[in-house]
Amino acid sequence: MKKNNESNVMINKGNITGLLHIQDTNTETKDITICYSSNNTMVVMSQNDMNTGCLWTAMFPSEAFNKSRLENNGSAFVGVLRFTNMGNKNQTKNYTILNNEVYGITMGAKISNLTNNIEITFTNKDLVGGPSCTSWNGKGNLEWTTFGCETKQINSNSIKCSCSHLTFFAVLMSVPDANAVAPYLESLTLISAIGCGISVFFLAIALFMHFLLRKAKSNQATKILINMFGALFLLNVSFLSNESVANSGDKNACVFIALLMHYSMLTTFTWFFIQALHMYLWLIRQNVTITNYMRKITVLGWGFSAPAVIAVVSVGGYNKTILTASSGKVAQMCWITNPLIHYILNMGYYIFVFIFTIGIFIITILTRIIQSRHIRATEGKRQTFRKQLMMVLSLFLLFGLTWAVAFFSYGPMLIPSYYIFCALNSLQGFFLFLYYFHIHKDVAGHFSDDPKSSGSVTTIVPPNNTNSNAEEHVYDLAR
């Protein structure tokens, strides 16, 4: 090119189209814009030709060319290649690549942290789904990230990507089904973040009060509740830190936070199951004797989910996923990228837990209705109704039945169920703290874990076998 005094050369090889542009040592450093047009050619545009018949444009600031000069003996250049059919089916199962095209850009130097970003504009007559400007570093497997790029949808058919570095670029469009929540993504995220933040605060207080102040005096029911607190605390903390880890670009950290959040979620479900099992054993079958009861259920609660997450991580099931709001704001999250794993493992396991817990819930309610006939003669109807309502709400929280709202996320109930789900479950830790505080507050107003002194919403009934290692006090939530 130097020999022929050429500054621009077209590149055509198979389905790859490109352009190489040089600014020599004796030329002025200036901004340039490269256009890919509908006739399958790539040209450097003048200011008078801006945005004329271009399907794709990239504006390179002079700052980028100056960095290129420093590493290329005074000469600056930019090379642009357009690739088609480059998508990885496993990585873009929930997304399509806009126009099925990927652009690779290099300037023969490390270009990053620019003051004036490189502006890349993609055009399509019929945009379907939510756009996300993404990049790939060209190493290893094809894994897209939004790190270093901002997305702005200019109009109904144009998307502008503002990027501070150079590599491979594409716009991922979420499929229509996945995009249904896009208009509500920011508000749902805000509700979830606030609720989880409140829950983390109060769960931390409850765990502090238990382990440092009242651990020695705790009964088995309280120990089960505290284990549930621990699982919920991990779940909320991993959720709140997930986006920051995803934005860091560290793949190993992303896999770890996704694994931790998945493990803590499955473990929370397991403690819902254990809570219902405990209620069944000590309310319905009071004569059951189980040796080393707490040790066994603790191993079950914290160990049952481990093989599942180990299996998922061994098949590479944890990765980064991209969420796009209607405003164009893009969020990243580390989670399970295979929908089949999500539905079979997460939904399948919760359905199993739900069937068991809802069964115990119904049995407990029926038992209390029968028993309440004997106390209505001595108690006012209003007081009886209030206590029974407290029983129902408490069981809903203890058994995790609020998670069942996800079953209604279809059709006209899709968006309302999302809001209800986010509000109830993000605040579940706070609600359980109120329950924990209330059941340990005695008549005099003192907070205690001593079951014998409790005159609160729960009373404790010892099982018939007083010599068993599994002795426990039974919740009598209607009293």
Side-chain angles (χ1 to χ4, degrees):
M1 290 176 66
K2 290 183 178 179
K3 183 178 179 180
N4 297 327
N5 196 27
E6 295 177 337
S7 59
N8 300 302
V9 170
M10 277 287 298
I11 301 171
N12 284 291
K13 186 174 178 62
N15 61 352
I16 300 174
T17 304
L19 176 73
L20 181 61
H21 170 77
I22 292 179
Q23 293 186 4
D24 210 346
T25 53
N26 58 353
T27 59
E28 178 186 0
T29 301
K30 57 184 179 181
D31 301 348
I32 71 156
T33 299
I34 294 179
C35 161
Y36 173 74
S37 63
S38 56
N39 59 2
N40 201 34
T41 60
M42 201 171 288
V43 296
V44 176
M45 299 177 61
S46 65
Q47 292 295 326
N48 296 330
D49 296 329
M50 292 298 289
N51 299 325
T52 302
C54 295
L55 300 178
W56 177 91
T57 62
M59 192 281 292
F60 301 91
S62 58
E63 177 188 5
F65 283 102
N66 287 331
K67 289 189 175 185
S68 179
R69 287 185 187 279
L70 291 176
E71 298 186 31
N72 291 284
N73 299 320
S75 296
F77 75 90
V78 57
V80 180
L81 294 176
R82 175 183 178 271
F83 302 87
T84 57
N85 301 313
M86 194 174 171
N88 184 320
K89 293 181 180 179
N90 293 327
Q91 295 295 326
T92 58
K93 199 163 187 177
N94 293 325
Y95 301 88
T96 59
I97 296 179
L98 182 64
N99 300 334
N100 196 29
E101 59 186 9
V102 175
Y103 287 86
I105 305 175
T106 181
M107 299 185 78
K110 183 178 180 180
I111 307 295
S112 61
N113 302 318
L114 295 173
T115 304
N116 298 310
N117 285 350
I118 296 166
E119 304 284 351
I120 306 171
T121 304
F122 293 80
T123 303
N124 187 293
K125 292 182 179 180
D126 187 19
L127 295 177
V128 179
S132 300
C133 294
T134 59
S135 64
W136 170 52
N137 62 9
K139 300 177 182 178
N141 295 329
L142 179 59
E143 296 190 7
W144 299 106
T145 176
T146 59
F147 181 76
C149 286
E150 297 179 0
T151 305
K152 182 179 180 182
Q153 188 160 344
I154 302 172
N155 50 46
S156 60
N157 62 359
S158 296
I159 299 164
K160 178 179 285 188
C161 301
S162 180
C163 301
S164 60
H165 64 291
L166 289 181
T167 183
F168 292 87
F169 298 97
V171 173
L172 300 187
M173 305 295 293
S174 59
V175 297
D177 289 344
N179 194 45
V181 74
Y184 313 96
L185 180 62
E186 292 184 72
S187 58
L188 288 170
T189 302
L190 180 62
I191 291 171
S192 300
I194 293 174
C196 288
I198 294 173
S199 289
V200 165
F201 176 76
F202 284 98
L203 287 171
I205 292 176
L207 292 170
F208 173 82
M209 293 168 65
H210 175 76
F211 287 108
L212 296 184
L213 303 178
R214 274 169 285 277
K215 183 178 180 180
K217 296 188 290 182
S218 297
N219 56 62
Q220 290 178 343
T222 300
K223 289 176 181 177
I224 292 173
L225 187 61
I226 289 299
N227 276 281
M228 185 188 293
F229 282 3
L232 277 171
F233 182 82
L234 285 177
L235 177 60
N236 285 303
V237 169
S238 58
F239 174 80
L240 290 173
S241 57
N242 195 298
E243 185 175 357
S244 298
V245 174
N247 290 333
S248 70
D250 188 327
K251 183 179 179 180
N252 292 330
C254 186
V255 170
F256 173 77
I257 199 67
L259 183 150
L260 178 62
M261 189 166 77
H262 190 208
Y263 168 76
S264 56
M265 185 186 75
L266 294 179
T267 301
T268 299
F269 293 167
T270 305
W271 282 106
F272 292 155
F273 174 87
I274 291 174
Q275 189 70 249
L277 178 65
H278 181 73
M279 181 76 72
Y280 170 75
L281 291 175
W282 303 112
L283 184 63
I284 310 301
R285 301 187 61 184
Q286 297 183 8
N287 293 319
V288 175
T289 300
I290 304 174
T291 57
N292 299 317
Y293 176 63
M294 276 307 303
R295 184 179 301 174
K296 289 178 180 178
I297 63 173
T298 300
V299 172
L300 173 66
W302 291 103
F304 185 78
S305 304
V309 296
I310 292 173
V312 174
V313 75
S314 65
V315 298
Y318 300 120
N319 213 319
K320 195 177 300 180
T321 185
I322 301 169
L323 307 171
T324 306
S326 294
S327 63
K329 183 178 179 180
V330 177
Q332 294 187 111
M333 184 177 182
C334 300
W335 187 234
I336 300 170
T337 54
N338 189 327
L340 187 62
I341 295 177
H342 170 70
Y343 284 111
I344 292 178
L345 186 57
N346 298 340
M347 295 296 291
Y349 183 47
Y350 180 73
I351 288 172
F352 166 76
V353 172
F354 174 76
I355 291 173
F356 180 78
T357 54
I358 196 65
I360 301 302
F361 175 78
I362 294 172
I363 292 173
T364 305
I365 295 297
L366 292 176
T367 302
R368 302 322 303 150
I369 290 175
I370 295 172
Q371 293 178 355
S372 66
R373 294 177 180 177
H374 303 289
I375 64 173
R376 285 181 180 175
T378 57
E379 290 190 359
K381 290 183 178 180
R382 181 177 300 178
Q383 186 178 12
T384 301
F385 175 77
R386 178 177 59 82
K387 290 183 177 180
Q388 290 185 349
L389 178 63
M390 177 64 71
M391 174 191 67
V392 173
L393 295 177
S394 299
L395 288 177
F396 255 90
L397 292 171
L398 291 172
F399 293 173
L401 297 180
T402 54
W403 287 73
V405 175
F407 297 152
F408 300 94
S409 56
Y410 297 97
M413 284 298 297
L414 178 66
I415 302 305
S417 67
Y418 281 163
Y419 278 99
I420 296 171
F421 182 90
C422 289
L424 290 180
N425 293 310
S426 65
L427 288 169
Q428 187 172 24
F430 170 65
F431 295 144
L432 284 172
F433 169 81
L434 296 179
Y435 170 80
Y436 172 74
F437 183 83
H438 189 54
I439 65 174
H440 292 89
K441 193 174 182 183
D442 60 27
V443 176
H446 300 102
F447 190 82
S448 173
D449 268 332
D450 182 5
K452 296 180 181 179
S453 66
S454 176
S456 65
V457 74
T458 63
T459 60
I460 309 300
V461 180
N464 293 335
N465 186 355
T466 57
N467 294 323
S468 170
N469 288 333
E471 284 181 347
E472 182 50 286
H473 304 284
V474 184
Y475 289 77
D476 187 353
L477 292 168
R479 182 160 177 166

